[in-house]
Structure formats: structure tokens, C-alpha cells
Amino acid sequence: MIVDCAIYRDGHRSEGPEDFSEALGEARAAGGFVWIGLHEPTEREFGHVAGEFGLHPLAVEDALKAHQRPKLEVYDDSLFVVLKPVAYEPQSDAVSTGEIMIFLGDSFVVTVRHGEGAPLKAVRSRLEQEPELLGNGPTSVLYAVADATVDHYLEVATELQTDLEELEAEVFSPDGGGSRNTASRIYTFKRQVLEFRRATGPLALPMSRLAGTAPYGVAVPFADDRARPFFRDVSDHLTRVNESVENLDRLVSDILSAHLAQMSVRQNDDMRKISAWAAMAAIPTMFAGIYGMNFEHMPELHWGWSYPALIVLMAVLEMMVFRLFKRRGWL
């Protein structure tokens, strides 16, 4: 569905006509641009927009199907950028991702949003309060959306860092993370970090190209070169995010290794205790085996003190073995 459509002249909003061709003509005549926002459009709805603005069929297909990696592609009549905003859900400690497709062309911006984690409404409201920034043309919209998306990455990274500290405290608690759910929580957290990385990692190259810091520094069509310093700022923030994601991934792997090592040590301790008790049980078993063979010529069977003597001997041997294992920490 079409969420919003407006013409911006000198950074100020004016409602655009329903006919997109007419809106684009007015924007060009006034030296402004038209911004159309869509949320999960149908093929018919977006086909109408694509036809009016001459969007490339491959980019249109990507925008309709979604599930794209962050990327930047240049076509003859437009620039196509894919962003993946990330949302953190405190109730479930889970990370969810959405998608924003941005078509940037001559005097127009078309944004397509999938999912609920996209900050487009807030970005449009903020830009309309800053006419000086909005007056720089369609590139200002691309910058503002990218900046809001990456800034939210930093917030999500902070939340994940807090969750990781809680998980680390649980694993290294006095009981050694003995809960059966600990390993499951670690794997679930690692999947959240992986989902986060899929959103932030591939975005580094597109931001470098927009910032002019990519190899060869080739200018990106339809993007105002004067915006390069702004995109460099976004790129710097994204670098911080990617470093945080790398640290999170490395730390959660270390925590998982530590947890598995603790479980292995605990199992070894259990087996050692079981072996110690089995060794103690072997002493009376040995005596019972000897005197259960029913041989006729066993002189001690006829001694009057044989039974209490053997009981005392077994008790002494059991006590000696128990003290030995206790001293060595087996029990």
C-alpha cells in the first residue's frame, strides 16, 4: 500500500497530485523532488509506480520479493539500495529484521518497506523538521534513512552486549551453568548474532561507495557528491557496529567452549566419584566371593571369631580406601 506521497521544494513539503507523472513533472519544474513511500505493496500497486518512474524490472522484482542482502546497484535511470533495519524485542531477547528498498533517481525517491522494524515514518518526520537538510535533494533521504538504520544498529548491539554479560554470568556462576537450558540459550544467542551480522556486514561496501572511500573512489550516479562526508560518518558508525558484532560472535563462541569444557569436567568428576564408590564396593564383594565358593577345606569357616573379624577387617579397609579417595578429592 502507498503510505505517503509528497513533493518537496526547498526542503518544504507540499502534497503531490495522485498522478505520479504529474507529481514528478511538478517536482522537476520547481527544482524539488517527489518522495513516495510504500509498505509491502502488491505487484499491481508497485507495477504502477515502477511504470511511472521507469524503474528497472530486476530491481522491481527484488523490491517485491524482499529477502535481499544489503546492497547498492546502479541502473540507467535510478540507484537501488537495500537496507536491513534490525529490531530488538526485549520480551523474547530476540533480534528481528525488516527490509527497506530505496530507489533514487532524477527528482524522485521511492521507498519500499517490508516488516515492522523500519524507521521510515520517524525519518520523514525528522527530515521535514530540517528543511536545510531536506533541501539537498533525494540524496538527503538516502542519507537520513541509512543514518537512522545504522544508529539503531548501535542500540541493538548494546542490548545484545547486555544479554551476553548475563549469559556469561550464568555460565561462570558457582554451579557452572548447570542448567540444561544453558547450552540452548548460548546457541540461540549465537543465531541472533548471526542474524545481526547478515544485516550489518554486507552494508559496509555500499556505504563505502557512497562515502567515496571504496576502491578507485568511483562516483555513484544519482548520489550528490556533496553528501560524501555524511556517508563517511555513517560508514564510521557501521564500522563500529561490525566490530561490536565480531566481538559478540567471538565472545559467545568462547563462552560456548567454556560451557562445554565445564560440562566435560563435571562429567569426569561424576565418573571419578562413581569409580571411587565402585572400588569401595569391590572390597565386600571380594570377601563375599571368596567365602561364597563353598569349598570344604576352609579352616577359618570353623573359627568362632571368623565372622566378626571379617566384618571389622572390611570396615577398616573401607575406611582406609574412603580416606585415600577423600584426600585426593575423588569423593
Side-chain angles (χ1 to χ4, degrees), residues 155-278:
E155 298 175 8
V156 174
T158 301
E159 295 288 349
L160 289 177
Q161 181 65 42
T162 301
D163 289 347
L164 181 62
E165 291 173 358
E166 295 176 356
L167 193 59
E168 186 177 20
E170 178 181 340
V171 170
F172 293 102
S173 60
D175 62 354
S179 173
R180 295 182 179 180
N181 296 327
T182 301
S184 176
R185 287 191 58 196
I186 295 174
Y187 276 109
T188 299
F189 186 85
K190 192 171 182 64
R191 289 185 64 86
Q192 303 298 328
V193 174
L194 178 61
E195 186 72 17
F196 194 22
R197 170 181 277 178
R198 288 173 179 168
T200 63
L203 188 58
L205 181 57
M207 287 298 106
S208 296
R209 291 181 62 186
L210 290 168
T213 57
Y216 311 113
V218 179
V220 178
F222 306 106
D224 193 338
D225 291 343
R226 293 174 298 177
R228 284 187 171 188
F230 296 95
F231 285 110
R232 280 200 293 270
D233 182 66
V234 176
S235 183
D236 289 342
H237 290 177
L238 183 62
T239 299
R240 288 174 51 196
V241 171
N242 284 326
E243 290 175 352
S244 297
V245 173
E246 290 292 335
N247 290 335
L248 287 171
D249 187 57
R250 184 171 61 253
L251 286 173
V252 74
S253 296
D254 292 343
I255 290 175
L256 177 60
S257 298
H259 176 67
L260 295 177
Q262 286 180 333
M263 295 298 293
S264 178
V265 170
R266 189 177 297 109
Q267 290 176 351
N268 289 337
D269 288 341
D270 293 341
M271 290 301 300
R272 188 165 55 185
K273 291 178 181 179
I274 293 173
S275 299
W277 286 110

Side-chain angles (χ1 to χ4, degrees), residues 3-329:
V3 178
D4 201 350
C5 176
I7 296 175
Y8 294 90
R9 303 180 180 91
D10 297 324
H12 297 283
R13 176 187 177 116
S14 63
E15 297 302 326
E18 295 182 0
D19 184 85
F20 297 142
S21 295
E22 185 179 347
L24 183 58
E26 288 186 16
R28 286 173 175 169
F33 67 94
V34 59
W35 180 1
I36 299 176
L38 301 98
H39 178 230
E40 298 181 357
T42 64
E43 185 174 354
R44 180 179 178 181
E45 289 174 338
F46 197 57
H48 178 56
V49 175
E52 293 291 347
F53 291 96
L55 304 181
H56 197 280
L58 293 177
V60 171
E61 181 181 359
D62 289 345
L64 286 172
K65 291 185 177 180
H67 303 294
Q68 303 295 316
R69 298 173 73 249
K71 60 182 179 179
L72 183 152
E73 295 181 352
V74 179
Y75 296 100
D76 293 337
D77 298 322
S78 63
L79 179 68
F80 180 58
V81 180
V82 178
L83 304 173
K84 292 183 75 71
V86 174
Y88 179 82
E89 301 172 3
Q91 294 79 8
S92 58
D93 293 337
V95 170
S96 61
T97 58
E99 290 188 45
I100 299 177
M101 284 76 171
I102 304 173
F103 294 87
L104 202 70
D106 179 20
S107 302
F108 73 86
V109 178
V110 177
T111 55
V112 182
R113 177 168 62 93
H114 291 269
E116 299 299 329
L120 289 184
K121 184 177 181 180
V123 169
R124 188 186 287 261
S125 298
R126 181 170 64 85
L127 277 175
E128 291 176 354
Q129 300 299 320
E130 300 180 22
E132 292 184 0
L133 177 60
L134 194 56
N136 291 322
T139 307
S140 63
V141 177
L142 176 59
Y143 158 71
V145 175
D147 184 56
T149 300
V150 173
D151 283 348
H152 195 60
Y153 287 165
L154 292 170
E155 298 175 8
V156 174
T158 301
E159 295 288 349
L160 289 177
Q161 181 65 42
T162 301
D163 289 347
L164 181 62
E165 291 173 358
E166 295 176 356
L167 193 59
E168 186 177 20
E170 178 181 340
V171 170
F172 293 102
S173 60
D175 62 354
S179 173
R180 295 182 179 180
N181 296 327
T182 301
S184 176
R185 287 191 58 196
I186 295 174
Y187 276 109
T188 299
F189 186 85
K190 192 171 182 64
R191 289 185 64 86
Q192 303 298 328
V193 174
L194 178 61
E195 186 72 17
F196 194 22
R197 170 181 277 178
R198 288 173 179 168
T200 63
L203 188 58
L205 181 57
M207 287 298 106
S208 296
R209 291 181 62 186
L210 290 168
T213 57
Y216 311 113
V218 179
V220 178
F222 306 106
D224 193 338
D225 291 343
R226 293 174 298 177
R228 284 187 171 188
F230 296 95
F231 285 110
R232 280 200 293 270
D233 182 66
V234 176
S235 183
D236 289 342
H237 290 177
L238 183 62
T239 299
R240 288 174 51 196
V241 171
N242 284 326
E243 290 175 352
S244 297
V245 173
E246 290 292 335
N247 290 335
L248 287 171
D249 187 57
R250 184 171 61 253
L251 286 173
V252 74
S253 296
D254 292 343
I255 290 175
L256 177 60
S257 298
H259 176 67
L260 295 177
Q262 286 180 333
M263 295 298 293
S264 178
V265 170
R266 189 177 297 109
Q267 290 176 351
N268 289 337
D269 288 341
D270 293 341
M271 290 301 300
R272 188 165 55 185
K273 291 178 181 179
I274 293 173
S275 299
W277 286 110
M280 294 176 62
I283 295 175
T285 302
M286 178 187 66
F287 282 96
I290 292 175
Y291 289 99
M293 290 186 292
N294 297 321
F295 289 132
E296 181 177 356
H297 300 288
M298 295 179 70
E300 60 269 20
L301 294 177
H302 303 287
W303 295 349
W305 294 95
S306 297
Y307 177 74
L310 289 175
I311 294 296
V312 171
L313 178 60
M314 284 190 290
V316 171
L317 292 175
E318 290 283 1
M319 185 60 65
M320 291 174 60
V321 173
F322 178 81
R323 292 187 63 183
L324 176 64
F325 288 154
K326 193 72 173 178
R327 188 181 304 115
R328 295 185 176 181

